[in-house]
């Protein structure tokens, strides 16, 4: 349980930082989102396969 606690706290902190950065418009949204993604992958909370698996879906490409 303790091993997961720091991950939960880290994810909540990242989500709050992303939300704040979006609202305050400190950086462009794409930079904020990619920074959050990289942070989660580098810390091992999110696997690279899961992170890159989103790009295999046609929905984001269609919306873009």
């Amino acid at each position: 349980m303790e091993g997961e606690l720091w991950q939960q706290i880290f994810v909540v902190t990242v989500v709050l930082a992303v939300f704040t950065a979006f609202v305050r418009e400190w950086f462009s949204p794409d930079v904020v989102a990619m920074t959050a993604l990289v942070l989660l992958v580098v810390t091992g909370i999110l696997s690279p396969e899961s992170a890159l698996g989103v790009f295999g879906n046609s929905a984001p490409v269609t919306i873009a």
Side-chain angles (χ1 to χ4, degrees), residues 17-50:
V18 166
F19 180 75
T20 304
F22 282 162
V23 170
R24 300 271 182 168
E25 297 179 353
W26 286 333
F27 301 102
S28 64
D30 55 338
V31 171
V32 174
M34 289 303 292
T35 302
L37 176 68
V38 168
L39 281 173
L40 293 176
V41 170
V42 166
T43 57
I45 294 173
L46 187 63
S47 69
E49 293 82 23
S50 297

Side-chain angles (χ1 to χ4, degrees), residues 1-14 45:
M1 180 72 177
E2 284 186 28
E4 296 175 359
L5 181 62
W6 76 268
Q7 293 176 339
Q8 294 171 357
I9 292 171
F10 187 80
V11 170
V12 169
T13 304
V14 168
I45 294 173

Side-chain angles (χ1 to χ4, degrees), residues 58-64:
S58 63
V61 175
T62 304
I63 292 172

